[in-house]
Amino acid sequence: MQELKNHLKKLSKFESALSLLHWDMETYMPPNAVEKRAQIIGEISGYVFEQFISEKTQELIEKAQPNDVESQAILRLVKKEYERMKKIPKELFVELQIETSKAQQAWQNAKKEKDFNLFKPNLKKVVELEKKVIEVLGYEENKYDTLLDQYEPGLKTKQLNEIIPPLRSFLVEFLENLSQGKQPNTEILEGEYDETLQKRFSEELLKALNYDFNSGRLDVSAHPFTISISHNDVRITTRFDRFDIKNSIFSTIHECGHALYELGIPEEYRELPIGDGASMGIHESQSRFWENIVGRSFEFWKFMYPKFVKYFPRFEKIDIKDFWRAINKVERSLIRTEADEVTYNLHIMIRFEIEEALINDRINVDELPLIWNEKMKEYLGISPKNDSEGVLQDVHWAHGSFGYFPSYMLGNLYAAQIFKQMKKDIPDFYQKVENGEFKPILNWLREKIHSKGKVYQPMELIKMVTGETLNPQYFIDYVSEKYKEVYML
Amino acid sequence: MQELKNHLKKLSKFESALSLLHWDMETYMPPNAVEKRAQIIGEISGYVFEQFISEKTQELIEKAQPNDVESQAILRLVKKEYERMKKIPKELFVELQIETSKAQQAWQNAKKEKDFNLFKPNLKKVVELEKKVIEVLGYEENKYDTLLDQYEPGLKTKQLNEIIPPLRSFLVEFLENLSQGKQPNTEILEGEYDETLQKRFSEELLKALNYDFNSGRLDVSAHPFTISISHNDVRITTRFDRFDIKNSIFSTIHECGHALYELGIPEEYRELPIGDGASMGIHESQSRFWENIVGRSFEFWKFMYPKFVKYFPRFEKIDIKDFWRAINKVERSLIRTEADEVTYNLHIMIRFEIEEALINDRINVDELPLIWNEKMKEYLGISPKNDSEGVLQDVHWAHGSFGYFPSYMLGNLYAAQIFKQMKKDIPDFYQKVENGEFKPILNWLREKIHSKGKVYQPMELIKMVTGETLNPQYFIDYVSEKYKEVYML
């Protein structure tokens, strides 16, 4: 077992270098270096891939004698990944890399030109290759399960199909109810926000939430992300929009949630397959927990508002309740990444339904814009004016990341379910938030979730933490209660 | 030949990752990551080393059929390095790594405590290992030649022993003469300089000197350095001292000179042994040329002073000539890195003489502080009050970098010799500098030096560029003329 671990730890050091190469590319790399950087990343990734699918790995897997739960998990994860990699023919793997790379270029252009037709041939190719991948990997019930499993190990399409319809009905109806409530005034947020002050306030947020700047940093990139370079080196990026303070505040807290998770993974799990989040959905539950449940709560702003006002003194005249209602405004909007807590899952459902139908040949790529717009109308009551704010808005399909979107929704659902449990152990949760005492909250998450790394499958973990499997009712309860208050219903 | 090139280019991509890991460590890495970072660097360096000394390299060397001057140079360089690496037993290599790593720790501590005795046992060990390395690598005339050759291929101790005595006599005497001249008033430089303004002025300097920010960046680190991460990615660092503007100005220009050299190396040489500077001395000639010959000239400040005054308006009242004389003050000072153009080489001579005698067993480590202080007294007329400002001031010996110091002096000498030649082709050199027309100057260096990469040995290159081998008289002439003006003699 130790030999297998050493082998994996060795490869992981090359992955650390790759992470740094990526981080640098998104933050500080001089623009002219982009072409060479891609070659460097290609070379080193290729080496890691070759080493991973080498006979040595197979031999070490066969020899390994796991004698504790961690070792068993390592062996299970490495075996699964090894078999997966072995099944995909090299030509298919390379073709997928090339086609998704081309598709990203085409997507960027199509989005700029607001014309789905410019992306269509590339997307067709990517979908075709995704189906080939499913063919070689195999599937039991539903082809889409194979894709889901990459991001949410063990999750089945069937489960999503059980969860989604009642949740959708609730959300569509709830959205209707909210339009009867008192609308928050978002005009109070309008105006300019100096970027240096935004940066300082972001740093203050991170410090308050116990993000350790000795083991991480905050930088700026076009799209916010969190990256784990090594043990004690988990970095965050955010972005600053001069005219939208919400953007940097909630991006920063969101990424902070991801980073706190990564920083809470035990050192001895690091550089091993268990030294990671349990799944994309669980990861997203952590970012959403801090962003929404903590960061958009009234109590959080009771604590942060005086500090916020110091940076942006024009808010002195604005009542904290009005501010809180403004940052929680629910809107029938077109763009997923800008969606609020109530509408967000509806955006995901549209994508899931389209992906699942596409992979199972019940619809085809040509129909996507039409179906997209119809579903938007049906669930959110609005339609995009053009493809850029509709079917072209997300990069995921160009990446070939089919099966990823549900993780975002699961994150919201897991977060609410975890929160319900947390309040049993920390009954004065909101009092703690109001006092800025985030450490006990973080410690609870550390103990129950972060310290487990990727030892357990997400559904197992959720059951261990909350005593039951995924139950969307907690999210429904949370959203109902909170937004009735926001909308004074 | 192509196979050998491909092999080397592949390894070079891992070296790019290593460069980025180093750059990050010195600039942005969170402090807690230091231990893990060392492991990552160790793992990847180990891989590159193993691959380089593999049988594959040997086979490719044997098969290679170079049919142009570049390929011949590649083969010569790779063969030399391969044989060198093969000769050093792995145990010795590892021991040297461990002992120099320990020695650096000890040196830091000894320097802090101002006590050479705390460093002495480590230095003894390092010197002993250096001698073992020379033993296995072999030598002809002088053991020290083997060390010199690592940094200045082809240079012999004998040559240095011919060059140094007359240069030393001149400098010691010239220094005496200057004390008869009118002393520059450096009080005008005293005071505080805002670091943000220093940074902006540094950026303005770099832009003026045609450093391309699309292929590089400026950051801050404890010790300024230039690092070539890949083609089109050559980065500079500098440092800002609130009370010393000279520090950032001349560090920035110095590193800019290194970076312009690296950026001028042809793309097709990149990732190959010829894609580098010809030697440390030639590299230093480029940094010194821009720092001293350009950056400390009166004409340069005629161009830059109005911009400088905009950042630091209190200089409005200060005459440019007084400013120029102040930044060119010659001082009998203790610290090499702070030395001026006249005294700098004397600092180097002391180190060279000590190193050469030490390696050839004419002196021993115990005597170093005494010898150091005596030589300082003899050449510079002053003695350090303690070891920290004397024998302990430089990290080089702790690194095991014996043989490196002469490169600094050679850089000064090469620069003056190159400059003499340049003025034949650009007779209005100083007029161009005064106009801020640095492009023709850079283009001359690009054509004559940068574009040659490491194809030629340094002495060959100097002969190609200037028509003769190294001749320190050009430096003597340059210094005499300039400093007679500074000191109004």
Side-chain angles (χ1 to χ4, degrees), chain A residues 477-489:
Chain A
D477 294 344
Y478 160 76
V479 158
S480 307
E481 194 181 338
K482 172 170 174 182
Y483 284 88
K484 279 180 189 154
E485 213 185 316
V486 173
Y487 279 79
M488 300 175 165
L489 283 163

mmCIF file with all atom_site columns, all heavy atoms in Angstrom, chain A residues 477-489:
data_model
loop_
_atom_site.group_PDB
_atom_site.id
_atom_site.type_symbol
_atom_site.label_atom_id
_atom_site.label_alt_id
_atom_site.label_comp_id
_atom_site.label_asym_id
_atom_site.label_entity_id
_atom_site.label_seq_id
_atom_site.pdbx_PDB_ins_code
_atom_site.Cartn_x
_atom_site.Cartn_y
_atom_site.Cartn_z
_atom_site.occupancy
_atom_site.B_iso_or_equiv
_atom_site.pdbx_formal_charge
_atom_site.auth_seq_id
_atom_site.auth_comp_id
_atom_site.auth_asym_id
_atom_site.auth_atom_id
_atom_site.pdbx_PDB_model_num
ATOM 1   N N   . ASP A 1 477 ? -37.559 24.618 2.792  1.00 0.00 ? 477 ASP A N   1
ATOM 2   C CA  . ASP A 1 477 ? -37.870 25.273 4.069  1.00 0.00 ? 477 ASP A CA  1
ATOM 3   C C   . ASP A 1 477 ? -37.017 26.522 4.281  1.00 0.00 ? 477 ASP A C   1
ATOM 4   O O   . ASP A 1 477 ? -37.514 27.571 4.684  1.00 0.00 ? 477 ASP A O   1
ATOM 5   C CB  . ASP A 1 477 ? -37.620 24.309 5.244  1.00 0.00 ? 477 ASP A CB  1
ATOM 6   C CG  . ASP A 1 477 ? -38.582 23.130 5.217  1.00 0.00 ? 477 ASP A CG  1
ATOM 7   O OD1 . ASP A 1 477 ? -39.604 23.214 4.500  1.00 0.00 ? 477 ASP A OD1 1
ATOM 8   O OD2 . ASP A 1 477 ? -38.290 22.130 5.904  1.00 0.00 ? 477 ASP A OD2 1
ATOM 9   N N   . TYR A 1 478 ? -35.738 26.360 4.002  1.00 0.00 ? 478 TYR A N   1
ATOM 10  C CA  . TYR A 1 478 ? -34.801 27.476 4.209  1.00 0.00 ? 478 TYR A CA  1
ATOM 11  C C   . TYR A 1 478 ? -35.182 28.675 3.345  1.00 0.00 ? 478 TYR A C   1
ATOM 12  O O   . TYR A 1 478 ? -35.275 29.812 3.810  1.00 0.00 ? 478 TYR A O   1
ATOM 13  C CB  . TYR A 1 478 ? -33.371 27.005 3.906  1.00 0.00 ? 478 TYR A CB  1
ATOM 14  C CG  . TYR A 1 478 ? -32.405 28.123 3.617  1.00 0.00 ? 478 TYR A CG  1
ATOM 15  C CD1 . TYR A 1 478 ? -31.895 28.921 4.648  1.00 0.00 ? 478 TYR A CD1 1
ATOM 16  C CD2 . TYR A 1 478 ? -32.011 28.409 2.307  1.00 0.00 ? 478 TYR A CD2 1
ATOM 17  C CE1 . TYR A 1 478 ? -31.018 29.961 4.373  1.00 0.00 ? 478 TYR A CE1 1
ATOM 18  C CE2 . TYR A 1 478 ? -31.134 29.442 2.023  1.00 0.00 ? 478 TYR A CE2 1
ATOM 19  C CZ  . TYR A 1 478 ? -30.645 30.218 3.053  1.00 0.00 ? 478 TYR A CZ  1
ATOM 20  O OH  . TYR A 1 478 ? -29.796 31.248 2.791  1.00 0.00 ? 478 TYR A OH  1
ATOM 21  N N   . VAL A 1 479 ? -35.417 28.395 2.067  1.00 0.00 ? 479 VAL A N   1
ATOM 22  C CA  . VAL A 1 479 ? -35.733 29.469 1.123  1.00 0.00 ? 479 VAL A CA  1
ATOM 23  C C   . VAL A 1 479 ? -37.072 30.129 1.479  1.00 0.00 ? 479 VAL A C   1
ATOM 24  O O   . VAL A 1 479 ? -37.200 31.359 1.467  1.00 0.00 ? 479 VAL A O   1
ATOM 25  C CB  . VAL A 1 479 ? -35.731 28.913 -0.322 1.00 0.00 ? 479 VAL A CB  1
ATOM 26  C CG1 . VAL A 1 479 ? -36.553 29.794 -1.243 1.00 0.00 ? 479 VAL A CG1 1
ATOM 27  C CG2 . VAL A 1 479 ? -34.311 28.808 -0.844 1.00 0.00 ? 479 VAL A CG2 1
ATOM 28  N N   . SER A 1 480 ? -38.067 29.304 1.824  1.00 0.00 ? 480 SER A N   1
ATOM 29  C CA  . SER A 1 480 ? -39.392 29.856 2.156  1.00 0.00 ? 480 SER A CA  1
ATOM 30  C C   . SER A 1 480 ? -39.282 30.829 3.314  1.00 0.00 ? 480 SER A C   1
ATOM 31  O O   . SER A 1 480 ? -39.738 31.971 3.248  1.00 0.00 ? 480 SER A O   1
ATOM 32  C CB  . SER A 1 480 ? -40.354 28.748 2.584  1.00 0.00 ? 480 SER A CB  1
ATOM 33  O OG  . SER A 1 480 ? -40.397 27.747 1.629  1.00 0.00 ? 480 SER A OG  1
ATOM 34  N N   . GLU A 1 481 ? -38.648 30.341 4.366  1.00 0.00 ? 481 GLU A N   1
ATOM 35  C CA  . GLU A 1 481 ? -38.568 31.153 5.573  1.00 0.00 ? 481 GLU A CA  1
ATOM 36  C C   . GLU A 1 481 ? -37.836 32.466 5.312  1.00 0.00 ? 481 GLU A C   1
ATOM 37  O O   . GLU A 1 481 ? -38.310 33.545 5.637  1.00 0.00 ? 481 GLU A O   1
ATOM 38  C CB  . GLU A 1 481 ? -37.855 30.338 6.660  1.00 0.00 ? 481 GLU A CB  1
ATOM 39  C CG  . GLU A 1 481 ? -38.011 30.921 8.044  1.00 0.00 ? 481 GLU A CG  1
ATOM 40  C CD  . GLU A 1 481 ? -37.254 30.089 9.089  1.00 0.00 ? 481 GLU A CD  1
ATOM 41  O OE1 . GLU A 1 481 ? -36.996 28.892 8.818  1.00 0.00 ? 481 GLU A OE1 1
ATOM 42  O OE2 . GLU A 1 481 ? -36.914 30.643 10.149 1.00 0.00 ? 481 GLU A OE2 1
ATOM 43  N N   . LYS A 1 482 ? -36.666 32.338 4.678  1.00 0.00 ? 482 LYS A N   1
ATOM 44  C CA  . LYS A 1 482 ? -35.842 33.529 4.479  1.00 0.00 ? 482 LYS A CA  1
ATOM 45  C C   . LYS A 1 482 ? -36.524 34.550 3.575  1.00 0.00 ? 482 LYS A C   1
ATOM 46  O O   . LYS A 1 482 ? -36.571 35.739 3.888  1.00 0.00 ? 482 LYS A O   1
ATOM 47  C CB  . LYS A 1 482 ? -34.489 33.134 3.882  1.00 0.00 ? 482 LYS A CB  1
ATOM 48  C CG  . LYS A 1 482 ? -33.661 34.339 3.469  1.00 0.00 ? 482 LYS A CG  1
ATOM 49  C CD  . LYS A 1 482 ? -32.236 33.999 3.095  1.00 0.00 ? 482 LYS A CD  1
ATOM 50  C CE  . LYS A 1 482 ? -31.534 35.245 2.566  1.00 0.00 ? 482 LYS A CE  1
ATOM 51  N NZ  . LYS A 1 482 ? -30.164 34.971 2.135  1.00 0.00 ? 482 LYS A NZ  1
ATOM 52  N N   . TYR A 1 483 ? -37.042 34.081 2.454  1.00 0.00 ? 483 TYR A N   1
ATOM 53  C CA  . TYR A 1 483 ? -37.530 35.047 1.468  1.00 0.00 ? 483 TYR A CA  1
ATOM 54  C C   . TYR A 1 483 ? -38.897 35.618 1.812  1.00 0.00 ? 483 TYR A C   1
ATOM 55  O O   . TYR A 1 483 ? -39.260 36.683 1.324  1.00 0.00 ? 483 TYR A O   1
ATOM 56  C CB  . TYR A 1 483 ? -37.415 34.479 0.050  1.00 0.00 ? 483 TYR A CB  1
ATOM 57  C CG  . TYR A 1 483 ? -35.966 34.538 -0.361 1.00 0.00 ? 483 TYR A CG  1
ATOM 58  C CD1 . TYR A 1 483 ? -35.095 33.491 -0.071 1.00 0.00 ? 483 TYR A CD1 1
ATOM 59  C CD2 . TYR A 1 483 ? -35.445 35.696 -0.915 1.00 0.00 ? 483 TYR A CD2 1
ATOM 60  C CE1 . TYR A 1 483 ? -33.748 33.580 -0.362 1.00 0.00 ? 483 TYR A CE1 1
ATOM 61  C CE2 . TYR A 1 483 ? -34.095 35.796 -1.217 1.00 0.00 ? 483 TYR A CE2 1
ATOM 62  C CZ  . TYR A 1 483 ? -33.245 34.742 -0.939 1.00 0.00 ? 483 TYR A CZ  1
ATOM 63  O OH  . TYR A 1 483 ? -31.917 34.851 -1.216 1.00 0.00 ? 483 TYR A OH  1
ATOM 64  N N   . LYS A 1 484 ? -39.632 34.924 2.672  1.00 0.00 ? 484 LYS A N   1
ATOM 65  C CA  . LYS A 1 484 ? -40.848 35.558 3.181  1.00 0.00 ? 484 LYS A CA  1
ATOM 66  C C   . LYS A 1 484 ? -40.465 36.794 3.992  1.00 0.00 ? 484 LYS A C   1
ATOM 67  O O   . LYS A 1 484 ? -41.152 37.812 3.951  1.00 0.00 ? 484 LYS A O   1
ATOM 68  C CB  . LYS A 1 484 ? -41.661 34.568 4.016  1.00 0.00 ? 484 LYS A CB  1
ATOM 69  C CG  . LYS A 1 484 ? -42.501 33.646 3.134  1.00 0.00 ? 484 LYS A CG  1
ATOM 70  C CD  . LYS A 1 484 ? -43.314 32.650 3.938  1.00 0.00 ? 484 LYS A CD  1
ATOM 71  C CE  . LYS A 1 484 ? -43.948 31.636 2.998  1.00 0.00 ? 484 LYS A CE  1
ATOM 72  N NZ  . LYS A 1 484 ? -44.195 30.354 3.692  1.00 0.00 ? 484 LYS A NZ  1
ATOM 73  N N   . GLU A 1 485 ? -39.348 36.688 4.673  1.00 0.00 ? 485 GLU A N   1
ATOM 74  C CA  . GLU A 1 485 ? -38.889 37.840 5.451  1.00 0.00 ? 485 GLU A CA  1
ATOM 75  C C   . GLU A 1 485 ? -38.380 38.946 4.529  1.00 0.00 ? 485 GLU A C   1
ATOM 76  O O   . GLU A 1 485 ? -38.711 40.117 4.713  1.00 0.00 ? 485 GLU A O   1
ATOM 77  C CB  . GLU A 1 485 ? -37.788 37.389 6.409  1.00 0.00 ? 485 GLU A CB  1
ATOM 78  C CG  . GLU A 1 485 ? -37.798 38.163 7.712  1.00 0.00 ? 485 GLU A CG  1
ATOM 79  C CD  . GLU A 1 485 ? -36.622 37.776 8.599  1.00 0.00 ? 485 GLU A CD  1
ATOM 80  O OE1 . GLU A 1 485 ? -36.336 36.555 8.718  1.00 0.00 ? 485 GLU A OE1 1
ATOM 81  O OE2 . GLU A 1 485 ? -35.985 38.688 9.147  1.00 0.00 ? 485 GLU A OE2 1
ATOM 82  N N   . VAL A 1 486 ? -37.581 38.539 3.547  1.00 0.00 ? 486 VAL A N   1
ATOM 83  C CA  . VAL A 1 486 ? -37.047 39.547 2.620  1.00 0.00 ? 486 VAL A CA  1
ATOM 84  C C   . VAL A 1 486 ? -38.189 40.284 1.923  1.00 0.00 ? 486 VAL A C   1
ATOM 85  O O   . VAL A 1 486 ? -38.156 41.502 1.761  1.00 0.00 ? 486 VAL A O   1
ATOM 86  C CB  . VAL A 1 486 ? -36.120 38.887 1.567  1.00 0.00 ? 486 VAL A CB  1
ATOM 87  C CG1 . VAL A 1 486 ? -35.700 39.898 0.504  1.00 0.00 ? 486 VAL A CG1 1
ATOM 88  C CG2 . VAL A 1 486 ? -34.893 38.265 2.232  1.00 0.00 ? 486 VAL A CG2 1
ATOM 89  N N   . TYR A 1 487 ? -39.214 39.533 1.546  1.00 0.00 ? 487 TYR A N   1
ATOM 90  C CA  . TYR A 1 487 ? -40.332 40.129 0.797  1.00 0.00 ? 487 TYR A CA  1
ATOM 91  C C   . TYR A 1 487 ? -41.506 40.522 1.689  1.00 0.00 ? 487 TYR A C   1
ATOM 92  O O   . TYR A 1 487 ? -42.574 40.849 1.202  1.00 0.00 ? 487 TYR A O   1
ATOM 93  C CB  . TYR A 1 487 ? -40.766 39.190 -0.344 1.00 0.00 ? 487 TYR A CB  1
ATOM 94  C CG  . TYR A 1 487 ? -39.841 39.348 -1.529 1.00 0.00 ? 487 TYR A CG  1
ATOM 95  C CD1 . TYR A 1 487 ? -38.596 38.725 -1.535 1.00 0.00 ? 487 TYR A CD1 1
ATOM 96  C CD2 . TYR A 1 487 ? -40.172 40.184 -2.594 1.00 0.00 ? 487 TYR A CD2 1
ATOM 97  C CE1 . TYR A 1 487 ? -37.711 38.918 -2.578 1.00 0.00 ? 487 TYR A CE1 1
ATOM 98  C CE2 . TYR A 1 487 ? -39.294 40.380 -3.647 1.00 0.00 ? 487 TYR A CE2 1
ATOM 99  C CZ  . TYR A 1 487 ? -38.062 39.747 -3.634 1.00 0.00 ? 487 TYR A CZ  1
ATOM 100 O OH  . TYR A 1 487 ? -37.186 39.953 -4.667 1.00 0.00 ? 487 TYR A OH  1
ATOM 101 N N   . MET A 1 488 ? -41.269 40.444 2.994  1.00 0.00 ? 488 MET A N   1
ATOM 102 C CA  . MET A 1 488 ? -42.256 40.885 3.979  1.00 0.00 ? 488 MET A CA  1
ATOM 103 C C   . MET A 1 488 ? -43.637 40.285 3.734  1.00 0.00 ? 488 MET A C   1
ATOM 104 O O   . MET A 1 488 ? -44.648 40.997 3.709  1.00 0.00 ? 488 MET A O   1
ATOM 105 C CB  . MET A 1 488 ? -42.321 42.420 3.987  1.00 0.00 ? 488 MET A CB  1
ATOM 106 C CG  . MET A 1 488 ? -40.958 43.029 4.356  1.00 0.00 ? 488 MET A CG  1
ATOM 107 S SD  . MET A 1 488 ? -40.969 44.823 4.240  1.00 0.00 ? 488 MET A SD  1
ATOM 108 C CE  . MET A 1 488 ? -39.481 45.250 5.127  1.00 0.00 ? 488 MET A CE  1
ATOM 109 N N   . LEU A 1 489 ? -43.622 38.970 3.539  1.00 0.00 ? 489 LEU A N   1
ATOM 110 C CA  . LEU A 1 489 ? -44.906 38.293 3.262  1.00 0.00 ? 489 LEU A CA  1
ATOM 111 C C   . LEU A 1 489 ? -45.452 37.629 4.532  1.00 0.00 ? 489 LEU A C   1
ATOM 112 O O   . LEU A 1 489 ? -44.675 37.171 5.369  1.00 0.00 ? 489 LEU A O   1
ATOM 113 C CB  . LEU A 1 489 ? -44.689 37.232 2.175  1.00 0.00 ? 489 LEU A CB  1
ATOM 114 C CG  . LEU A 1 489 ? -44.573 37.795 0.755  1.00 0.00 ? 489 LEU A CG  1
ATOM 115 C CD1 . LEU A 1 489 ? -43.959 36.765 -0.176 1.00 0.00 ? 489 LEU A CD1 1
ATOM 116 C CD2 . LEU A 1 489 ? -45.942 38.228 0.215  1.00 0.00 ? 489 LEU A CD2 1
#
